[in-house]
Amino acid sequence: MMDFTNQTVLITGSSRGIGLAIAKAFDAAGAHVILHARSEIKPNIYADFKQKPQILQFDIADAEAAEASLKALYKQDNFAGVDVLVNNAGITKDQLAMAMAPNDFAEVVNVNLNGTFNVTQPIFKKMIRQKHGAIINLSSVVGLMGNMGQINYAASKAGIIGLTKSLAKEGARRGIRVNAIAPGMIVSDMTSVLSEETQAKILENIPLSRFGEANEIAEAALFLAGSAYITGQTLSIDGGLYI
């Protein structure tokens, strides 16, 4: 277990699923965790945390709301800054290309890609002044290989990989590392609604013959946050799906 004592970690979209698993992992490693969600986070979500987390509530797709919330965060007394940012928040609106509404394409790209930028830019500016920091962006195996019915999601997640590589080059001289994680099929609310037949077909293409667990993504986030000589990389956690 890596030690993140006295470090502050902000995870977007951390009220459930992968985001919450990442938040719990950093909390267990000693970090002060800042949870984020678009809607209210109920206290029972973080009842078992070692340290009471701070809560931020705003829509990442709203650039002004993101900037205002983060500006207020940095103005708090005794706030030293964000050491690790994990951009996890995102949405899906799946549909085959021929039937996809333009608004559905635009909304997914706006939330997943533009939203990542909206949160990252204000914090990146502060990290430049701090001369240290780690940013981890959640992409997807779909951003690497594409997927039928997800041209909007795939485009947004491929864009995150490009954002990650470019930002890594900009931040390196100031001690800021930027990496991405590309999860494959992870046990979640989304996969739980799939029929047994659909799950079986997906598993045929996964060499490890199982879906991943959210805590396995969390372990990768801790690894990248604590690995001082890794930047600009995309780590696939997909059971071998993208080989």
Side-chain angles (χ1 to χ4, degrees), residues 7-9 11 23 26-27 31-35 49 52-54:
Q7 293 195 44
T8 297
V9 182
I11 307 101
F26 275 107
D27 172 73
H32 169 62
V33 170
I34 303 175
L35 299 177
F49 277 42
K52 183 178 179 180
Q54 190 166 351

Side-chain angles (χ1 to χ4, degrees), residues 10-241:
L10 167 59
I11 307 101
T12 66
S14 46
S15 63
R16 60 190 176 91
I18 290 174
L20 182 57
I22 292 173
K24 288 182 175 182
F26 275 107
D27 172 73
H32 169 62
V33 170
I34 303 175
L35 299 177
H36 159 270
R38 184 169 56 180
S39 55
E40 182 182 1
I41 297 179
K42 296 180 180 179
N44 65 299
I45 295 295
Y46 53 85
D48 57 350
F49 277 42
K50 293 168 60 178
Q51 300 183 59
K52 183 178 179 180
Q54 190 166 351
I55 308 294
L56 294 182
Q57 183 180 340
F58 61 87
D59 183 354
I60 65 170
D62 185 335
E64 292 183 359
E67 184 176 15
S69 184
L70 294 170
K71 186 177 291 185
L73 174 68
Y74 275 88
K75 284 184 177 179
Q76 291 178 351
D77 293 340
N78 302 317
F79 185 77
V82 174
D83 299 291
V84 180
L85 167 64
V86 182
N87 285 302
N88 169 73
I91 63 170
T92 59
K93 285 199 170 184
D94 298 348
Q95 182 60 270
L96 292 173
M98 62 185 297
M100 182 173 290
N103 285 345
D104 287 345
F105 186 94
E107 184 177 359
V108 170
V109 172
N110 190 36
V111 172
N112 295 358
L113 183 55
N114 296 1
T116 294
F117 172 79
N118 293 340
V119 175
T120 299
Q121 187 186 49
I123 294 177
F124 184 72
K125 290 178 180 178
K126 297 293 186 181
M127 286 181 172
I128 289 288
R129 294 173 190 155
Q130 294 170 186
K131 296 185 178 179
H132 78 271
I135 299 173
I136 301 166
N137 299 318
L138 269 292
S139 180
S140 169
V141 68
V142 170
L144 295 168
M145 60 186 287
N147 194 37
M148 289 182 62
Q150 290 190 307
I151 62 168
N152 49 3
Y153 187 72
S156 70
K157 293 301 185 177
I160 284 174
I161 292 173
L163 181 154
T164 297
K165 291 179 179 294
S166 299
L167 199 63
K169 291 185 176 183
E170 292 187 22
R173 292 185 178 181
R174 293 299 185 96
I176 302 164
R177 296 178 300 101
V178 189
N179 292 289
I181 297 173
M185 294 299 295
I186 306 300
V187 175
S188 65
D189 294 341
M190 181 181 70
T191 57
S192 66
V193 300
L194 298 175
S195 67
E196 291 185 6
E197 181 182 0
T198 299
Q199 291 190 39
K201 288 181 179 179
I202 294 172
L203 287 171
E204 289 176 0
N205 295 312
I206 301 176
L208 289 183
S209 300
R210 67 174 179 86
F211 290 173
E213 300 286 345
N215 68 290
E216 292 174 307
I217 307 302
E219 290 169 359
L222 263 67
F223 168 72
L224 289 174
S227 299
Y229 202 57
I230 299 177
T231 194
Q233 303 304 305
T234 299
L235 180 59
S236 295
I237 312 293
D238 60 11
L241 178 62

